[in-house]
Amino acid sequence: QVQLVESGGGLVQAGGSLRLSCAASGLTFSNRAMGWFRRAPGKEREFVAAVSWSGFTTYYTDSVKGRFTISRDNTKNTVYLQMSSLKPEDTAVYYCAASLRKVAGTMAEFNSWGQGTQVTVSS
């Protein structure tokens, strides 16, 4: 079965940086688009970023463009989310997800989820 394990979350001051990692197993990682989503307190889960199977195509929600970078290493079955210039409104539980498709950019296209990692940005 598919397992996605996130790591790298924590507490950081506004303006700081964090890098999230997601280790995947139980799937042919190099054939799958991967994504990051988040759920802020009192809000619904939202799309943050996605990367195609090859790593060549990426998608971002507008609020993180220019600050977050998604990447993947198919030799390590791992996807990353580099987060910079963090803001208090980035505070959320961040989830890694896998799609059945090679290219995916919406929540509906992802069907396997990790347990999440907490990111807290203090002002």
Side-chain angles (χ1 to χ4, degrees):
Q1 81 217 40
V2 177
Q3 281 197 315
L4 303 172
V5 180
E6 302 96 336
S7 61
L11 174 64
V12 63
Q13 287 189 331
S17 299
L18 281 175
R19 188 176 82 154
L20 305 183
S21 300
C22 171
S25 60
L27 74 169
T28 305
F29 182 80
S30 58
N31 284 349
R32 307 283 199 100
M34 298 295 295
W36 286 96
F37 298 79
R38 66 187 180 187
R39 177 180 286 153
K43 296 187 178 181
E44 300 202 349
R45 190 177 298 188
E46 66 170 352
F47 170 80
V48 175
V51 61
S52 66
W53 64 283
S54 63
F56 290 151
T57 302
T58 56
Y59 303 98
Y60 297 94
T61 192
D62 286 346
S63 63
V64 308
K65 285 179 181 176
R67 300 188 299 122
F68 291 10
T69 302
I70 189 170
S71 62
R72 65 189 296 156
D73 185 340
N74 287 348
T75 67
K76 297 181 178 179
N77 284 11
T78 301
V79 61
Y80 304 98
L81 185 68
Q82 178 67 48
M83 305 185 294
S84 303
S85 302
L86 283 161
K87 304 175 181 180
E89 50 263 44
D90 295 318
T91 295
V93 177
Y94 283 72
Y95 299 90
C96 172
S99 174
L100 288 173
R101 301 182 178 184
K102 287 190 171 185
V103 182
T106 66
M107 192 181 304
E109 297 174 287
F110 291 84
N111 67 322
S112 297
W113 298 85
Q115 293 300 305
T117 186
Q118 176 70 46
V119 171
T120 303
V121 184
S122 63
S123 57

